[in-house]
Amino acid sequence: MVGVSVKGKPVGVWGLGPMNGRPTNNWNAACADDRNAPLAPVVAPNTPMRIGSISKPVTFAMVRWALKKLAKDKGDLELTDEQIEGLKLFNLQHYPPLILGTNKPYPSQ
């Protein structure tokens, strides 16, 4: 399922690929394909779905932007993408994480 919107209004919605079931008439016993299973229907544009894997890179892009802005606004620091990707915010060896450019931990309460 792919959808594109402009200013909150959908301009294109496409269903791509088959739903659950046998995707093609190609049969391979080594893959444990069930030759008797019916072919899966194609995904329709109005098929309800959860937000998928695309949310992860979108979320990371937003977090990266927010970290760069916060570092610039609060600490006058210019962070590179490599510096942000190298942060160990949730590594227990580095918990609690330190505020960038200081030796002070973030408030925990």
Side-chain angles (χ1 to χ4, degrees):
M1 178 71 62
V2 175
V4 176
S5 65
V6 175
K7 296 185 181 179
K9 302 215 187 271
V11 294
V13 179
W14 302 271
L16 304 171
M19 289 195 203
N20 288 339
R22 187 167 54 110
T24 67
N25 278 324
N26 296 334
W27 180 75
N28 186 339
C31 295
D33 288 342
D34 182 1
R35 188 175 213 162
N36 297 320
L39 285 176
V42 175
V43 175
N46 62 349
T47 302
M49 293 193 175
R50 295 184 192 178
I51 295 175
S53 296
I54 190 66
S55 65
K56 294 173 187 78
V58 170
T59 301
F60 178 71
M62 291 173 21
V63 168
R64 179 175 44 206
W65 173 85
L67 287 172
K68 283 183 174 184
K69 181 161 178 41
L70 183 66
K72 179 67 176 162
D73 292 349
K74 300 290 183 184
D76 200 29
L77 298 170
E78 294 283 344
L79 295 180
T80 65
D81 289 344
E82 292 79 21
Q83 288 172 317
I84 291 173
E85 290 168 11
L87 291 175
K88 294 177 173 39
L89 296 178
F90 300 106
N91 186 330
L92 289 177
Q93 293 176 333
H94 302 280
Y95 188 81
L98 300 178
I99 298 173
L100 288 173
T102 72
N103 287 327
K104 298 177 183 177
Y106 286 99
S108 59
Q109 302 261 341

